[in-house]
Amino acid sequence: MHAKSSANQFEQALCELARMIGLHAERHDENGVGPDVLWLLPNKVGFVIEAKSRKKEQNALTKEEHGQLLVADEWFSEKYPDYTSVRISVHPQNRATKAAVAGASKALTYEKLSELIADARIVLTHLCESKLGKEDLILECDRLLGNSNIRFDKIAEAYLCSFEEAE
């Protein structure tokens, strides 16, 4: 994921990141229905993600953009009735216009996304460079994840931010 990625490349990279850290990921946005990206966590939580990868740093989340996230969340509720959703906008900052009324949604800012990628890279690099057998590798993975924020039950708290009203 980098500044020159197309929206499609960025969304695909979000799917691949989720898979690398052990989550199930899907892409669903078809004609404006469904989220750009969906991360399904093992605890029956779905991260319903709208990615604003081409957004300028100074621009806040708008009412229309938040509306897209709300529509994606409605789709998710219909398709995955046994799951709880977390609405997420990948956004340069955790700022939203007053009209967006985004208080119940979360931002995955570019800064926090970079932290998530860096944390995943540390764990994956350590595992890839180890010369452990299968059983020991599983134990080492569990140990590393126990101390990491990339665990499914820590991601939201470690990397997601509440939206604040832009001035």
Side-chain angles (χ1 to χ4, degrees):
M1 291 182 252
H2 55 80
K4 296 191 182 190
S5 297
S6 69
N8 187 49
Q9 290 169 324
F10 189 84
E11 291 165 15
Q12 187 59 40
L14 283 173
C15 273
E16 291 169 12
L17 173 62
R19 291 179 186 128
M20 282 185 223
I21 61 173
L23 304 178
H24 180 81
E26 303 171 354
R27 294 184 61 195
H28 287 283
D29 188 5
E30 296 172 19
N31 301 320
V33 178
D36 291 336
V37 180
L38 176 61
W39 290 6
L40 297 174
L41 285 63
N43 58 344
K44 295 281 191 181
V45 172
F47 284 0
V48 177
I49 303 171
E50 287 292 316
K52 302 302 172 200
S53 61
R54 310 298 281 169
K55 186 115 178 174
K56 289 189 173 24
E57 180 97 11
Q58 69 274 14
N59 292 348
L61 182 77
T62 66
K63 178 180 178 179
E64 180 181 338
E65 291 165 342
H66 191 242
Q68 291 173 334
L69 184 55
L70 296 174
V71 168
D73 190 52
E74 285 296 317
W75 174 92
F76 177 78
S77 294
E78 289 175 17
K79 300 289 184 187
Y80 296 86
D82 296 338
Y83 279 71
T84 302
S85 66
V86 177
R87 295 187 309 256
I88 300 169
S89 180
V90 180
H91 206 268
Q93 299 291 328
N94 62 325
R95 293 180 22 250
T97 63
K98 183 175 184 173
V101 191
S105 297
K106 297 293 183 182
L108 175 57
T109 64
Y110 297 168
E111 179 181 343
K112 287 293 189 178
L113 178 57
S114 292
E115 285 178 31
L116 173 57
I117 292 167
D119 291 347
R121 183 176 289 127
I122 289 167
V123 170
L124 293 171
T125 299
H126 183 82
L127 292 172
C128 289
E129 291 176 350
S130 73
K131 305 224 186 294
L132 300 171
K134 183 178 178 179
E135 295 298 320
D136 290 334
L137 188 60
I138 292 170
L139 292 172
E140 181 64 2
C141 183
D142 284 344
R143 186 189 70 76
L144 290 170
L145 288 176
N147 298 321
S148 174
N149 286 328
I150 65 168
R151 282 181 20 173
F152 76 91
D153 57 345
K154 291 185 176 181
I155 292 173
E157 184 179 332
Y159 304 107
L160 302 181
C161 310
S162 296
F163 275 100
E164 298 173 0
E165 193 175 303
E167 295 177 15

